[in-house]
Amino acid sequence: MSGSLAPGLARQSMHQSRANSVVSAKYLFQASPGIQTGLLHVKYPSKFGEKYSKGRARVAKRPGRIMSPVVVPLAVLTTNPVSGQNAWKFNIDGNSDAEVIVTSAFGGTSFQIDIQVTNSSNSLTLHWGGIRGGQNNWILPSRRPHGTKVYKNKALRTPFAKSGSKSFVKIEVDDPAIKAIEFLIVDEPQNKWFKCNGGNFHVPLPQQETLSSNVSVPEDLVQIQAFLRWERKGKQMYTPEQEKASEEYEAARAELLHEISRGITIDKLRERFAKSDEQSKTREARSKTHEASVPEKKSKIPDDLVQIQAYIRWEKAGKPNYSPEQQLVKLISSEFEEARKDLQNELDKGSSLEEIRKKITKGDIQLKVSKQKKRRTVERIQRKKRDLMQLLNKHTARIVEEQSFIASEAPTAIQLFSKSKEEQDGDAILNKKVFKLGDKELLALVTKPHGKTKVYLVTNLLGPLTLHWALSKNAGEWQVPPKSVLPHGSVLLGGACETEFIENYLNDYPEKVQSLEIEINEDSYVGIPFVLKSGENWIKNGGSDFYVDFSIEPKKRSKETGGGKGTAKALLEKIAELEPEAQKSFMHRFNIAADLMEWARDAGELGIAGILVWMRFMATRQLIWNKNYNVKPREISKAQDRLTDLLQNIYKRSPQHREFLRLIMSTVGRGGEGDVGQRIRDEILVIQRKNDCKGGMMEEWHQKLHNNTSPDDVVICQAVHSGADLESAIANCMGYKAEGEGFMVGVSINPISGLPSGYPGLLEFVLDHVEDKNVEPLLEGLLEAREELRPLLLSSHDRLKDLLFLDIALDSTVRTAIERGYEELNDAGPEKIIYFISLVLENLVLSSDNNEDLIYCLKTGCFRRHLDRTGGANWTQDINLEPILYRKIERILGWSHALNMLKSKDEHWALYAKSVLDRTRLALSSKSEHYQRVLQPSAEYLGSLLGVDEWAVSIFTEEIIRAGSAASLSSLLNRIDPVLRKTANLGSWQIISPVEVVGHVVVVDELLSVQNKSYGQPTILVAKSVKGEEEIPDGTVAVLTPDMPDVLSHVSVRARNSKVCFATCFDENILNDIRAKQGKFLCIKPISADIVYSEVKDGGWSGENSVDSRQDTGTPSLTLVQKKFCGRYAISSEEFTNEMVGAKSRNISYLKGKVPSWVGIPTSVALPFGVFEKVLSDGTNKAVADSIESLKKRLEKGDFNVLGEIRSRVLDLISPTPLLSIGLFYAVTALDHKSHGWQQVVLGVVVCLSQVEQLKQKMQNSGMPWPGDEGEQRWEQAWTAIKKVWASKWNERAYFSTRKVKLNHDYLCMAVLVQEIINADYAFVIHTSNPSSGDSSEIYAEVVRGLGETLVGAYPGRALSFVCKKNDLNSPKVLGYPSKPIGLFIKRSIIFRSDSNGEDLEGYAGAGLYDSVPMDEEEKIVLDYSTDPLVTDKKFRHSILSSIARAGHAIEELYGSPQDIEGVVRDGKIFVVQTRPQM
């Protein structure tokens, strides 16, 4: 804000008493920047003064700055005056000196007293006051240094500021009545008073200079100078005793006279104050006119009422900002006068001044004020053009094994004692508290097993020790315990009892401890008070009795918490141990948290999560904030600073933890108002819980306000929209200290260096628009501010903490603004909603550690404004606040491809936007799952230790997510989703397997969790999660899910093959309605792209869909023929036969030379049937074979857990000689030729190696690399991959599938097809007959980036899908654009594909059950579709999709039946890697 009414108000109020004012003057005045220059001229008479004056010279460059010392002191003794009129030096306590410098300004009417103490401690305070002429009693000056407190209304106490070994304090005195100051120096913690020879230090102030009496100063200048004096004194409200208007006025006159005596003319003074002689004359004229025009009657109105009324008028006018010229000229004569007229009208109506005062406080005075628009910099900023990839963070937190950082900390004897008692009493813990006894400890543990209260006390303090104790029925009282509870040997003494501690050892632990136990059968006692007696010494708890509470609810460590699994368990248990101490005050809690931060950092992400959970429990009032402990605010602030400093340092060193560190800082707060925003949001969550609100935070809260406003709402309602925390954070960073509200201007204190050029203007824009109803310009400004700030957050800035709190405040304001803007989206078109989505997504990117996926969502799905091509901070005016879409498009960067398509009337724009929406949802889901995985176990375990309410624990992570940008983004996605589905004609369902069914509704979280289950009646499963690789349980007739498995995924194929209805539902309301029918029978009927469902009453279904009838008709009679080893370990594709390999290998061999020349077929070799069994039977693997045989017997008995063990044992197989690397030949022939039998050994090896050479030769002849040529390690990689293919015979999905159709699992044989991996640009799967519609005239295909495993495996997201009519293969129609976030890529390598005899069976979908394993690990790449020509280039997409469709049609014609085809695209060329009959 640039100005106010202040000078004018000051002119007319300096001579009036403010005794009866109901509003503090700090709310009425604000200084004009135009008149805050050149006020002080300071001379320093010593070296210390010269040094200090240089600092003041620097300060003078920032007008109006007030140095604000902070607390830190020291003190000593005695005095020793030094020569010099204005300087004194005192020796206090040996090596410490106190030096006092007095400097004057304005002819002695204003003084500065600088006091410096050398070699000081950290806890000094100045105890001081002023002395009037001829008096001895102290008066309390109204102008006081920062941090000064009034002591018993008799003195002031100001803390010293510490710098190195010196402590400083500065006092400014401008009361002409004060002739001297007196002081003492106090060291409060040590209770030391440092005096001057037993009395007060006395510092006389120099006498005022005598000025010429024939010089006069115009009264208007005196009035302005009087206002400046009031401002310099901190704009304080005076009591009648403090205020002497005439003295203040005369002091101002004296200062100006002093300036004139130094040669400054009155014109210069006017120029300084008003910037022009003409304005000064105008002001004088207006002032004289005003004085002449004020009726005598008006003087009856006290000026304090006029000031208040002027303030009310300013508020009613919309709190406008005024220029300095307006303040000094227009407003003084008009606004002040209008306020007086308002009050005069009330007097004329017969109201008394007292009645007017009452009316004014209620706002009942009638006034005519036209609301003025705030003077703003611009109406809308222009965003700078940036590369979004500069926002990329790829920091992934590591999970640290707990042993790595706590192994060195062996449990103490006291901890072992506690653990044994907790286990003994079943963890029914009432209280656990540790007291410090010097360097020793006393543990008090209270349990309640079987209804009996037990108190255990144990200490490592040795020697005779007595417990002097009682019991309490009211907390803290001493009542004699009944004899029934006295431990053996106890003695009753009046109102207490004494019991001796007993020495003991624990499990041969070398440290001895002493303990005792008290058992209490009555429930009427609430605690135990006690003291200790060691010899003749009494031991207390910091001067008070020890006390242990019984009334706390039992803290049972629920088995559901997993015993701390998935947490930094030791850290959480330490937090729980220290919680009783932390409950004393925020100071204790923050200091304890600071002590634990390094431990948390060393524990990795789980350690940081533990601190976050603890601080969040505190912030949401689940933990006690203060428990009968008095602590000073500055002590809390010091502890808070210590903790946030540590958080700042970890933020610098550990970028992988920054996201959680920001959350911790938002719960701790910066102090002052800096954490208001987050705490308001936390309060809203509390209100929502009370009112059972489950949806969007701010939206539902606002709805609740309309329906049912509670007292809680009233307290926070105004604060929610005020942006007070943002203003505080901005003021702190920009170097302004808020001195009030309304017109109050800031005072420069310590601005942050290195801020971007134009940044203050950007923040001013944000503050100007923070309450706007139209939030779009505000959001743009907030995000631009965050983008500009980001480089500083990544640096080691010396004030990083303040920058972080500013960024947190900006982030919080974005969330509040977007939630406030929901209303304006109700009737908005899709382009505006998508723009809002992009803004919130950008905000989430700026707040996330691992944000690569979010950035690609932003790049492909949104648009942003940017600055003009000059790239500068060009703040331009955009008159149109609601520009149409095309105006926006002209000014954007990275704008949505969907909106480009919309502009060109491309019918696919909604399809594309839907794919971006789906990917964004997946990114949010991934983020939510990460939070749940990392935070929720810690919340549950720590919550159980601290006795936190179960409901607060259960929704802990949910509330953190709901309080962030992710929840706002999710809400916006829900708004646009139905619009996109309607536009793209997607409906509410995607039907993967269209089968009409009747079944019993069962709701499950994951299909995977029930895939091995058998349902006894036809069952409709509603599964929240379906990944794509699961089996469908027996008895299931339908699977409905909100998840998005590919149409050609394994589970989709199994559903179609088993005649199970399978569909994805996009409408959460529909799905919730079906979930609500759990336990009832529904009829599910797919119709086109929709599903119709209806409830079937008991007896209303015929049973034709029963499990037995479906199994009788749907399950074929299948028989496996056991294959035998053919005597060969490797064969080429020309040798593939039915007896040696499966259909996968034979089909690929059949295609060679028969498909069109533009379709590539990779060359292949194979390890035929029986090789696995041959290797297993080799003598070198006898132990493995025996183990597998034993495990198979357990499997036959129904122990399915052994499947994983069998796979593990297969990986232990040793390669027999024929499969060993050629390197073995050299090892054998290196044997000593003289050794017995060496010729036979070498001959035998050579015979075997001829077959290895054959495998090598076959692979090389087909153009495939031989792994052994690259070294033994490469062969080991290949050998491991082969074993993994064999082991997949026992994966759960395959085993239960064969078991379901009653195949003899022992007869299942596994050949291995070996192919060189084509480093694909794209992979595809084709079904030459549309599987969803059953239309045999239509080809259906799906395409993904990279390798095809993301298409057929359990990878989230959708592939690009399309259909193509066989009679028009040049016209593919896209059904959906890709949303898969991950692509798999690999260097030149070999893949070993499973090829079982189970894949040859007609009517059984055995394909995809077993694993194909590449020799090298694939690289996971986060996909950027904004650079993918398949998405962005229409011609390229048409060419590729048409080629895929033609290849599929050619292969179908070759076989004469529908085919399921897999292939890849490399440099535009189509390769087919396998085909099989379509199921």
Side-chain angles (χ1 to χ4, degrees), residues 1092-1130:
V1092 176
Y1093 62 93
S1094 58
E1095 188 174 341
V1096 178
K1097 301 300 181 183
D1098 294 343
W1101 61 288
S1102 63
E1104 60 185 19
N1105 288 91
S1106 69
V1107 176
D1108 292 337
S1109 64
R1110 289 178 61 81
Q1111 288 180 342
D1112 289 343
T1113 59
T1115 305
S1117 177
L1118 302 175
T1119 303
L1120 279 177
V1121 178
Q1122 190 171 21
K1123 304 294 184 178
K1124 297 186 181 297
F1125 179 54
C1126 65
R1128 304 175 66 179
Y1129 286 90

Side-chain angles (χ1 to χ4, degrees), residues 142 205 252 418 746 856 1079 1192 1251 1479:
S142 58
L205 303 180
S418 176
Y856 291 140
K1192 284 167 65 177
Q1251 297 186 33
M1479 300 300 297

Side-chain angles (χ1 to χ4, degrees), residues 69 128 143-149 156 158-159 169-172:
W128 65 285
R143 189 173 184 180
R144 302 162 185 176
H146 178 72
T148 298
K149 295 182 179 179
L156 299 177
T158 303
V169 71
K170 179 181 71 175
I171 300 171
E172 293 178 340

Side-chain angles (χ1 to χ4, degrees), residues 180 192 264 369 505 543 550 562 705 734 780-781 931 978 1144 1435:
K192 287 185 178 180
I264 296 178
V369 180
Y505 289 92
F550 299 167
L705 289 181
M734 300 310 300
E780 292 170 347
Y931 272 42
K1144 186 183 295 184
K1435 290 183 179 179

